[in-house]
Amino acid sequence: PRTGLLPVAPSCPPVLMFAMTDSVQVRQQGEVTVVTLNRPEVRNAVDSQTAMQLHAAFMTFDADPQARVAVFHGAHGHFCAGWDLQSGARMLAEGRGGGAAAFASLDFAPQDASPPGPMGPSRLLLSKPVIAAVSGAAVAGGMELALWCDMRVMEQDAYFGVYCRRFGVPLIDGGTVRLPRLIGMGHAMDLILTGRKVEAAEALQMGLCNRVVATGQGLDAALTLASQLAAFPQKTMLADRLSAYTQWDVPLPQALHQEWERGRQCIGDGMQGAARFASGQGRH
């Protein structure tokens, strides 16, 4: 259903690996990688160092053959409050390349492989899915990070918003691209132009999030969902996912052809799955 709260199965305790930097924590929970923003003093706002750590964390996840799905969340009750404007102001005051000059190193060309964005991973198209567990604020660049993820699980008191509108800070981490593609131009223009707050119930209604759960249950719900995705036959799921992402900018015949070319590589898996179904597995 698209209304109400969803029950959450308890998650298993973390296992195997735990790695940490000052502001980004990564742990491995079976086949699920959990990436956590940990800057409580600024509601998990991202500065340049944190952005690079996030980029590195997701590149490592994508290259790890043991990791199938990632969950991205923020510690201490907030997902991410966007770019750290206080850090930017300090850079400007200290003469360390404030304004547009501070981002000159982030210029990129469309053909560049794995370019970092101002918020870190926002320019990447990974080969595996990422689920955002959204609690508290997911605003400005934090909203753009959530939009970058494949799916969004949202706690009932969490909220989105292009809050950078009130300060004249532009959307430069995919917000003007992913938001219209996700919820349509009319809804996107409303949010982009007004910068208003969007709470969980409205976000679910317009398709901005995929699940709404009780406060405090976002991470567990995202982990449960990630485990479900990790249990599916991966080759087929990843081929379908990539086809959905790459069909936007090509004519329909080309989009259908690339869907076929990717899908045909998985037909053997599909036939094996059909045989399992015919034998009685998975029927309910």
Side-chain angles (χ1 to χ4, degrees), residues 88-111:
R90 287 194 299 271
M91 289 172 62
L92 183 61
E94 295 169 8
R96 291 189 285 127
F103 295 97
S105 63
L106 296 171
D107 287 345
F108 74 111
Q111 67 271 20

Side-chain angles (χ1 to χ4, degrees), residues 51-128:
M52 294 304 100
Q53 292 171 359
L54 283 174
H55 183 272
F58 282 106
M59 290 293 291
T60 300
F61 154 70
D62 206 43
D64 182 358
Q66 304 303 315
R68 291 189 167 189
V69 184
V71 170
F72 185 14
H73 85 119
H76 311 288
H78 290 285
F79 181 71
C80 175
W83 175 253
D84 187 349
L85 297 180
Q86 297 179 58
S87 173
R90 287 194 299 271
M91 289 172 62
L92 183 61
E94 295 169 8
R96 291 189 285 127
F103 295 97
S105 63
L106 296 171
D107 287 345
F108 74 111
Q111 67 271 20
D112 289 349
S114 307
M119 295 291 293
S122 52
R123 294 170 179 166
L124 301 177
L125 176 57
L126 301 184
S127 65
K128 296 178 281 193

Side-chain angles (χ1 to χ4, degrees), residues 173-261:
D173 280 273
T176 65
V177 178
R178 294 189 176 101
L179 196 57
R181 292 183 178 189
L182 184 65
I183 62 175
M185 197 65 160
H187 286 311
M189 284 298 98
D190 178 9
L191 304 191
I192 290 170
L193 296 179
T194 69
R196 68 180 179 84
K197 182 179 185 180
V198 181
E199 297 181 331
E202 184 182 7
L204 182 67
Q205 184 179 33
M206 68 172 62
L208 188 53
C209 74
N210 304 94
R211 310 279 193 277
V212 173
V213 299
T215 299
Q217 294 296 304
L219 179 57
D220 280 345
L223 289 170
T224 298
L225 179 57
S227 296
Q228 292 171 356
L229 299 189
F232 288 139
Q234 292 297 293
K235 186 176 179 181
T236 303
M237 184 185 75
L238 297 181
D240 289 347
R241 173 184 176 272
L242 185 59
S243 180
Y245 271 118
T246 57
Q247 57 82 28
W248 285 100
D249 299 320
V250 299
L252 179 60
Q254 183 178 342
L256 293 172
H257 184 264
Q258 69 183 20
E259 178 190 61
W260 163 246
E261 287 297 318

Side-chain angles (χ1 to χ4, degrees), residues 130-143:
V130 180
I131 299 169
V134 181
S135 58
V139 297
M143 180 175 175

